Amino acid sequence: MNSISITGAFIITLSLLSYGIGSISLQRFRMVSPGVLWFLTLGVVLDIVATIFMIVGAKNPGFTLHGFLGYSALLVMLIDVIFIWQIYYRENINAHVGKKLLTYSKIAYGWWIVAYITGSLLIIWR
């Protein structure tokens, strides 16, 4: 792995931590707090940055299974964050989140975990 890809892997791990903290907090407290907004948004931003690093550092930047999983997980996460920010703008801080959005957030986080694990396993098997 070259230094650009290693940097991307480090950033994606920070994204996992940030998005994970935000997602778990959202599930636990069922409300949009400043911490939830901050951690989820930071997680998505870090994921975008890491994805750029990994694309630039990739030897074979073609579409792969992991690429599809990663891009789709990023899209699902971005949609999740947009929905949560909409609740914040509509109802302000500490607004309660409905069951549908909580379910969607669980799916988004789970899908992202699958993409993260897939990428990690691909690095180990190389």
Side-chain angles (χ1 to χ4, degrees):
M1 241 167 87
N2 62 32
S3 62
I4 295 173
S5 295
I6 291 171
T7 303
F10 178 75
I11 295 170
I12 204 78
T13 302
L14 294 176
S15 174
L16 172 70
L17 291 172
S18 181
Y19 195 80
I21 290 168
S23 292
I24 292 167
S25 297
L26 182 67
Q27 296 299 319
R28 171 87 170 100
F29 301 110
R30 302 180 190 280
M31 67 174 55
V32 179
S33 68
V36 167
L37 287 171
W38 192 85
F39 280 113
L40 289 177
T41 303
L42 180 64
V44 170
V45 169
L46 287 172
D47 196 8
I48 291 168
V49 171
T51 301
I52 292 168
F53 270 78
M54 289 181 189
I55 289 170
V56 170
K59 295 176 188 169
N60 189 2
F63 287 98
T64 62
L65 173 63
H66 173 62
F68 171 75
L69 289 172
Y71 299 139
S72 62
L74 177 58
L75 178 63
V76 170
M77 289 167 50
L78 184 61
I79 292 168
D80 184 40
V81 170
I82 289 169
F83 286 156
I84 291 168
W85 273 98
Q86 285 177 340
I87 289 173
Y88 164 72
Y89 282 124
R90 209 174 330 125
E91 300 177 27
N92 292 323
I93 289 294
N94 297 329
H96 288 279
V97 179
K99 264 188 155 181
K100 287 182 181 180
L101 183 55
L102 287 172
T103 301
Y104 183 85
S105 292
K106 283 181 192 177
I107 292 168
Y109 185 57
W111 189 251
W112 196 80
I113 293 292
V114 168
Y116 181 86
I117 290 171
T118 303
S120 298
L121 291 175
L122 286 174
I123 295 302
I124 291 170
W125 288 337
R126 283 188 190 173

